[in-house]
Amino acid sequence: MPTVADQFVEVLVEAGVRRIYGIVGDSLNPIVDAVRRTDGIEWVHVRHEESAAFAAAAEAQLTGGLAVCAGSCGPGNLHLINGLFDAHRSGAPVLALASQIPSAQIGTGFFQETHPERMFNECSHLCEVLSQPEQMPRLLRSALQTAAGSRGVSVLVLPGDVAQRTAVNPVRQGTVHCQPPTVVPPESQLRELARALNSAERVMLFCGAGTRHAHDEVMRLAETVKSPVGHALRGKEWIQYDNPYDVGMSGLLGYGACHEAMHRADLVVLLGTDFPYDDFLPQANTVQVDIEPAHLARRTVLDVAVQGDVAETIRAVLPHLDTKTDRSFLDQMLREHADTLERVVDAYTRDVDKRVPIHPEYVTDVLDDLADEDAVFTVDTGMCNVWSARYVTPNGRRRMLGSFIHGSMANALPHAIGAQLADGNRQVVAMSGDGGLSMLLGELLTLRTLQLPVKVVLFNNSSLGMVKLEMLVDGMPDFGTDHDPVDFAALVSALGMYSVRVRRPEEVRVALRDALSHPGPAVVDVVTDPNALSIPPHITGSQVKGFALAVSRTVLAGGVGKMVRLARSNLRNIPKP
């Protein structure tokens, strides 16, 4: 007779789940054994449960489908929590199985006893205890559908002894719908949006992750209202390419004229973004379009709030818009964007291929040249976010995954594991900092065991660069941010994997090219300059003062990479007088 564990795995396979990330052990053993005996699903052994959740989050974001991770009772499932927060806040449909101690022992202070149903509430849409065989398969299907439909995490707590019991109800055929809905706003909201757009002389569009699949519609709207187009970090991959209206990015990692355009506009249109840094927003003359009603008005006051899918909303409002003829604001912002990038590009490129220690900007720029046109980049939180945001060129096919909302360290390598397993034929590059890599260093063993052809480009500056910058801007001398140099290439070689250590800039291109062409996992350990920092395009006077008190070195503002060429090419769109 099938057990609850058998039934659990059968429902997962039926829902399209192809793997479970985790570490085997005690209360999970019935599930693991059911996986062993079931075709169409595999157990992916990682070295830390946090990595299991990160890997599942990356798989779900890349495929759009459900992904699953699991942790054994007590410490095992508690290790999941950081990766689950990342998945939940990123909108990744993930099911987490938190196995539990024997059900008869719950509440007695038993060995490894915790209460996952309490612990995981904040990072899930659904968190329930599966305590009786009679709850299957309905409760599991409900958890899967909640994760898929609400785009986030569901957690099921399952005692090991319950997993071993005989199943009671038949599985029957069931379906889990993973395709997110499209939402068209009501006519009243569309009329208000059209009125606001028609009334404004200077419109600026600011785009986030919700513009995925809406690139063409955003371009048509920008042309209609003659608007510069900026983006948040999560909007970069969807909106920056093939964009003749691009004025860069705002926020802590921003560059270009995005901030200026936003603050000079008569009307700022937030499209599919829950941009968290309200100090960068004008806090006036703003409308917002978002499919999530909870996002509306929680970062800024709004003149008009529109609940709807970005692409559908733009299609619906375009027939009601007057085509503007005055390009003066758009053209001015395009010129300022190009000029801003020109002013800083020389500092990033002048003799950079000869400077030691190696500039991380140069490494990323070369990586951008060599990586595949459909590569997946996974990016560690910190300065790697800066270099990827400014030097990896989007094209509509590349993907960039990171802990962009939760902001966890150490995400790049486990994200890369999930991304590579999701698509074994696609190039996956982890841009890791030495601080992040060392935190989950054991996952290099996962690459070796599974022979995943992930390429790890390690920015090894023996420093926590972003933390150093935070201290300096606050007027504090940096303290506790630097650590002993480590030869990670030697460590990787000892693990039996391809590695190379790069100390001089003339070695960068060959090292990256060879690693990217290597058939298995590879690590390029690049010794980079710990003083290559970056400040946002707009900081307060007190922050400038604090920075001057703390440091006298030059800090480069705004990074550009190939974007200066894009900005200059966009100026050709400006009509000659």
Side-chain angles (χ1 to χ4, degrees):
M1 296 291 291
T3 65
V4 170
D6 294 328
Q7 199 171 63
F8 195 100
V9 173
E10 183 181 349
V11 172
L12 292 184
V13 172
E14 181 188 74
V17 174
R18 294 294 172 259
R19 56 192 62 86
I20 302 175
Y21 300 91
I23 299 177
V24 299
D26 47 75
S27 54
L28 267 179
N29 289 343
I31 295 290
V32 175
D33 188 60
V35 171
R36 177 184 65 82
R37 292 181 282 103
T38 304
D39 292 332
I41 191 168
E42 62 177 332
W43 183 269
V44 178
H45 174 65
V46 295
R47 267 60 181 187
H48 196 291
E49 288 90 351
E50 180 180 351
S51 300
F54 274 128
E59 178 182 329
Q61 289 178 80
L62 200 60
T63 67
L66 287 158
V68 178
C69 57
S72 57
C73 61
N77 63 58
L78 289 183
H79 283 162
L80 294 170
I81 197 164
N82 193 45
L84 291 183
F85 262 101
D86 174 73
H88 193 56
R89 301 190 72 190
S90 299
V94 170
L95 172 74
L97 171 58
S99 68
Q100 179 60 297
I101 63 172
S103 54
Q105 300 291 350
I106 296 174
T108 68
F110 192 70
F111 176 64
Q112 294 189 323
E113 181 174 1
T114 60
H115 294 87
E117 69 277 10
R118 303 175 193 171
M119 300 292 296
F120 290 101
N121 265 315
E122 192 177 345
C123 62
S124 65
H125 290 301
L126 177 149
C127 185
E128 298 291 348
V129 180
L130 205 167
S131 60
Q132 300 293 329
E134 288 81 1
Q135 293 172 280
M136 281 289 289
R138 183 174 63 173
L139 185 56
L140 175 55
R141 285 206 176 104
S142 177
L144 292 170
Q145 187 58 64
T146 299
S150 300
R151 313 307 288 179
V153 171
S154 287
V155 179
L156 281 187
V157 181
L158 176 62
D161 60 306
V162 175
Q164 289 181 301
R165 292 182 193 172
T166 302
V168 173
N169 299 318
V171 171
R172 296 196 177 95
Q173 194 69 27
T175 302
V176 175
H177 296 280
C178 292
Q179 188 70 26
T182 57
V183 177
V184 181
E187 281 295 324
S188 59
Q189 292 183 7
L190 289 171
R191 285 196 299 270
E192 288 186 63
L193 178 60
R195 176 187 53 77
L197 288 166
N198 287 331
S199 300
E201 292 183 11
R202 301 185 301 276
V203 179
M204 189 269 182
L205 307 182
F206 186 66
C207 304
T211 57
R212 183 179 185 178
H213 307 311
H215 181 277
D216 292 346
E217 287 79 6
V218 172
M219 296 303 107
R220 285 201 292 271
L221 177 60
E223 174 56 32
T224 300
V225 299
K226 304 300 183 287
S227 168
V229 178
H231 58 269
L233 177 58
R234 295 181 72 217
K236 173 186 172 73
E237 61 181 326
W238 309 121
I239 216 68
Q240 190 189 41
Y241 69 96
D242 295 340
N243 181 356
Y245 316 100
D246 178 56
V247 291
M249 188 168 78
S250 189
L252 296 174
L253 311 184
Y255 57 83
C258 184
H259 184 270
E260 284 299 311
M262 186 179 292
H263 286 264
R264 292 192 207 174
D266 294 332
L267 184 70
V268 174
V269 184
L270 305 179
L271 294 173
T273 180
D274 188 32
F275 184 70
Y277 302 106
D278 50 6
D279 288 345
F280 286 85
L281 299 173
Q283 297 298 327
N285 306 320
T286 303
V287 303
Q288 185 175 5
V289 178
D290 206 292
I291 199 170
E292 294 289 346
H295 292 175
L296 298 172
R298 76 173 178 179
R299 309 299 184 189
T300 181
V301 293
L302 296 178
D303 296 342
V304 179
V306 181
Q307 184 189 358
D309 174 84
V310 172
E312 293 291 338
T313 299
I314 294 175
R315 290 191 204 108
V317 79
L318 277 174
H320 304 287
L321 297 183
D322 302 328
T323 300
K324 298 184 187 297
T325 57
D326 184 356
R327 287 182 53 107
S328 58
F329 176 60
L330 169 60
D331 294 347
Q332 180 186 11
M333 290 299 99
L334 290 175
R335 289 191 185 96
E336 289 197 17
H337 179 61
D339 290 345
T340 299
L341 298 187
E342 288 276 5
R343 286 197 299 271
V344 297
V345 69
D346 191 48
Y348 278 82
T349 57
R350 186 179 59 245
D351 299 325
V352 74
D353 58 344
K354 300 180 179 64
R355 294 183 184 179
V356 177
I358 300 169
H359 276 220
E361 310 94 315
Y362 174 66
V363 177
T364 316
D365 195 47
V366 175
L367 176 62
D368 183 52
D369 280 341
L370 298 176
D372 287 351
E373 291 298 296
D374 65 345
V376 179
F377 297 86
T378 64
V379 184
D380 261 344
T381 297
M383 296 310 296
C384 284
N385 270 184
V386 178
W387 314 136
S388 63
R390 296 176 174 181
Y391 286 87
V392 174
T393 307
N395 58 11
R397 298 169 60 202
R398 286 177 165 178
R399 292 298 314 274
M400 188 179 295
L401 304 178
S403 187
F404 298 137
I405 302 177
H406 187 48
S408 173
M409 286 181 65
N411 63 283
L413 179 54
H415 270 163
I417 290 169
Q420 193 71 82
L421 285 166
D423 190 342
N425 296 317
R426 200 167 181 181
Q427 186 182 77
V428 177
V429 179
M431 295 177 60
S432 296
D434 53 329
L437 183 68
S438 61
M439 189 176 284
L440 288 173
L441 190 63
E443 299 312 327
L444 291 172
L445 294 170
T446 304
L447 295 186
R448 187 193 68 179
T449 299
L450 300 177
Q451 280 300 296
L452 295 176
V454 169
K455 316 306 177 189
V456 179
V457 180
L458 177 61
F459 293 76
N460 188 352
N461 63 1
S462 302
S463 176
L464 301 176
M466 185 62 78
V467 181
K468 177 182 288 191
L469 178 62
E470 291 165 353
M471 289 181 171
L472 297 180
V473 170
D474 284 339
M476 305 173 188
D478 58 285
F479 178 76
T481 59
D482 297 332
H483 43 263
D484 293 337
V486 175
D487 187 343
F488 284 92
L491 286 174
V492 173
S493 179
L495 298 177
M497 290 194 300
Y498 179 95
S499 66
V500 60
R501 187 167 172 85
V502 181
R503 297 178 180 85
R504 302 195 59 80
E506 61 267 22
E507 302 167 353
V508 168
R509 185 171 292 272
V510 172
L512 289 175
R513 186 184 62 214
D514 290 349
L516 290 171
S517 62
H518 182 71
V523 176
V524 182
D525 178 6
V526 188
V527 181
T528 58
D529 185 357
N531 296 325
L533 304 177
S534 173
I535 58 176
H538 178 77
I539 60 175
T540 65
S542 62
Q543 288 172 324
V544 171
K545 181 181 178 181
F547 192 86
L549 287 172
V551 67
S552 59
R553 69 170 68 92
T554 299
V555 177
L556 305 175
V560 290
K562 299 173 182 62
M563 285 176 266
V564 69
R565 279 180 274 176
L566 173 65
R568 281 295 169 201
S569 68
N570 282 345
L571 294 185
R572 292 197 293 268
N573 296 307
I574 298 177
K576 302 295 183 191

